[in-house]
Amino acid sequence: MAEIKTVGFVGTGIMGAPMARNTAKAGFNVLAYNRTRAKAEALGGHGVRVADSVAEVGAEADAVVVMVPDTPDVLEVVEGPGGLAEAMRPGSVLVDMSSISPGATRELSARLAERGIAMLDAPVSGGSWGAEQGTLAIMVGGEAAAVERMMPVFEAMGQRVTHMGPSGMGQTTKLVNQILVAGTVSAVAEALVFAAAHGADLERTIEAVGAGAAGSWQLANLGPRMARGDFAPGFMVRLQQKDLRLILEAADERRVPLAVTGVARALFTALEAAGLGEEGTQAIIKAVERQANLTARQAPGDAAKQ
């Protein structure tokens, strides 16, 4: 089983860039391509070489990590003109760390297998903060032998790596993750608006309830940002919306009712309609505020602004 020495990255945005940096820091030879070249060039000081094309990455790398927004984007960089499928060598590994359709993943994996290319679907959770710190949770679908080969690379980017089963199961697990995330962040927003409506100090409220059964990653990390009015993206509203679309499509296939997820999607839809798709998912509090006709965000000790 050949060792992975050169790792390619296609997509060096808010998540891909720190993942590539951490991979290079771990000692791998890293080659990166991004459609906006300046984003890849920004990695030059971190030991990452910049490729001129997707095909160049595919031809040189033992494994290629793809981190792009949606299913059509993955299919384009892999099977489009000059794509990875044509350039990658038999025996190499393609690792899709985007969040896309499980069904499309399984179909793409089968086509790549015919070329002798192993494919893993390995979406992540933890946002840009986890990507920066190398503490991502990575959920992987695909053949066990390919997972074993990629484990040193995964460990450079993440803190917990879980092999979930055959192709598509990594993406399925990511959708489970997003059901939990979307429902929880919606509840956090509602709770803080309720607290503000009754004059509670939001920072103190988060500290109080976060120590008990209501504690969650969303409350601890996004709750304070909501309270401060900090909407810088760790994960963008528009990407959360894309994941919610994938979830509800997959739920319809198996006739699984997802009432809470449907409500969360309605709130995120309102944000996108207001032109807030580039903000972090904690901006969901703005949608709840509009329904309640108050502004919950406050400095510590301030009452809600009516």
Side-chain angles (χ1 to χ4, degrees), residues 64-145:
V64 178
V65 172
V66 175
M67 191 54 145
V68 294
D70 204 347
T71 307
D73 305 298
V74 172
L75 296 177
E76 176 64 24
V77 300
V78 176
E79 297 185 308
L84 292 169
E86 296 177 356
M88 292 177 70
R89 303 183 301 273
S92 56
V93 184
L94 186 142
V95 186
D96 179 26
M97 302 190 80
S98 320
S99 298
I100 71 168
S101 161
T105 294
R106 288 189 289 269
E107 293 170 1
L108 178 58
S109 178
R111 293 193 296 270
L112 289 175
E114 293 176 357
R115 295 175 175 267
I117 301 168
M119 178 179 174
L120 299 176
D121 49 297
V124 302
S125 181
S128 62
W129 309 289
E132 292 284 353
Q133 296 164 9
T135 58
L136 292 168
I138 305 173
M139 43 217 89
V140 190
E143 293 295 329

Side-chain angles (χ1 to χ4, degrees), residues 144-160:
V147 176
E148 184 179 348
R149 286 183 69 195
M150 284 300 301
M151 193 60 73
V153 181
F154 289 147
E155 289 173 346
M157 296 184 280
Q159 197 167 49
R160 174 171 294 184

Side-chain angles (χ1 to χ4, degrees), residues 219-269:
L219 177 65
N221 290 275
L222 298 186
R225 288 181 170 86
M226 291 182 190
R228 296 192 301 266
D230 174 4
F231 302 115
F235 189 64
M236 293 182 188
V237 166
R238 65 177 177 82
L239 296 179
Q240 180 69 79
Q241 270 289 69
K242 177 263 297 182
D243 289 349
L244 290 169
R245 169 177 56 78
L246 294 173
I247 289 164
L248 294 174
E249 287 174 354
D252 285 344
E253 291 175 5
R254 301 298 175 94
R255 298 183 179 181
V256 178
L258 298 178
V260 173
T261 304
V263 171
R265 191 182 189 195
L267 292 171
F268 282 111
T269 297

Side-chain angles (χ1 to χ4, degrees), residues 135-204:
T135 58
L136 292 168
I138 305 173
M139 43 217 89
V140 190
E143 293 295 329
V147 176
E148 184 179 348
R149 286 183 69 195
M150 284 300 301
M151 193 60 73
V153 181
F154 289 147
E155 289 173 346
M157 296 184 280
Q159 197 167 49
R160 174 171 294 184
V161 183
T162 309
H163 184 201
M164 298 305 303
S167 178
M169 289 310 300
Q171 296 295 352
T172 298
T173 307
K174 177 60 183 286
L175 297 186
V176 172
N177 183 87
Q178 296 304 79
I179 291 171
L180 292 164
V181 165
T184 304
V185 77
S186 302
V188 170
E190 285 194 353
L192 294 186
V193 170
F194 174 86
H198 289 271
D201 181 290
L202 298 190
E203 297 280 2
R204 279 189 160 187

